[in-house]
Amino acid sequence: MLRGGKVGLRARHEDDVPVLQNELYDDVVNTSRADGRPWRPIPPGPGGKFVADPTDQDNLPFSVVDLESGELVGAATLWGIDTHNRFAHIGLGLRSSARGKGYGTDVVAVLCHYGFVVRGLQRLQIETLSDNIPMLRSAERNGFVREGVLRSAAWVLGEFMDEVVLGLLAEEWKQGVQG
């Protein structure tokens, strides 16, 4: 398990899948804001959104647990891993009961450590909707820099929304951790 101050990131357990499916994916508004594809009903089980594929080397799903209680609080992913360019994206989703407690900032910190130290990546990137203030704050608290805005890039529940692109380089992260 990867450990932060508040959360642990561990392999996805079979009993995590229905909880994440019900509380994250089946929430149409949440999924529509978090996923670039349109929501559609997906039954849990083989092929479901939260079922981990151990053969997929480009996308690493983690379950996020509270270190004190062991409770499942969400899901995190290092996705789109490009081993040639040493680059990946960060994604996360927290159960509604876990939001606003600092878990997001800690998840981003743990994924940065994993990406830069364990995987030897050079760059991590986050894309989020421009009104997703908690994600923007979590990213910026971890040293991510706003690199640009993709205007009207996301179709979300009947309207186009801007997306913010944030990036962090390994050397910047190391300076922030040591500084």
Side-chain angles (χ1 to χ4, degrees):
M1 178 184 304
L2 301 170
R3 296 177 183 274
K6 295 181 175 196
V7 299
L9 304 185
R10 62 162 169 75
R12 181 77 34 85
H13 294 174
E14 191 174 321
D15 57 344
D16 296 344
V17 173
V19 174
L20 295 172
Q21 173 89 19
N22 181 52
E23 293 193 35
L24 296 181
Y25 185 79
D26 287 345
D27 177 344
V28 178
V29 172
N30 179 62
T31 298
S32 296
R33 292 180 51 77
D35 197 334
R37 297 162 294 201
W39 183 89
R40 62 185 181 92
I42 299 174
K49 177 160 175 66
F50 292 100
V51 176
D53 177 357
T55 65
D56 185 355
Q57 296 298 309
D58 297 332
N59 303 293
L60 298 175
F62 297 94
S63 287
V64 180
V65 295
D66 179 283
L67 285 175
E68 284 187 27
S69 68
E71 177 188 2
L72 177 69
V73 296
T77 308
L78 199 64
W79 63 275
I81 300 169
D82 178 336
T83 55
H84 176 72
N85 294 304
R86 296 173 49 199
F87 165 79
H89 303 263
I90 287 178
L92 69 100
L94 297 174
R95 297 171 67 185
S96 59
S97 61
R99 295 178 192 150
K101 298 179 179 180
Y103 291 131
T105 299
D106 202 32
V107 169
V108 172
V110 175
L111 286 173
C112 287
H113 181 269
Y114 178 73
F116 293 132
V117 175
V118 178
R119 298 298 296 247
L121 298 175
Q122 167 60 20
R123 174 184 166 78
L124 292 172
Q125 182 169 309
I126 295 173
E127 302 87 6
T128 190
L129 296 176
S130 60
D131 68 347
N132 188 350
I133 303 304
M135 187 65 214
L136 292 168
R137 285 186 182 144
S138 291
E140 290 172 339
R141 285 182 183 134
N142 280 287
F144 280 79
V145 175
R146 291 184 194 214
E147 296 179 333
V149 174
L150 304 173
R151 298 176 303 140
S152 294
W155 178 252
V156 180
L157 299 172
E159 67 179 312
F160 284 103
M161 296 187 69
D162 294 347
E163 284 187 326
V164 178
V165 177
L166 302 105
L168 180 62
L169 303 178
E171 62 194 42
E172 296 167 338
W173 176 80
K174 285 177 188 171
Q175 288 173 356
V177 170
Q178 295 170 353

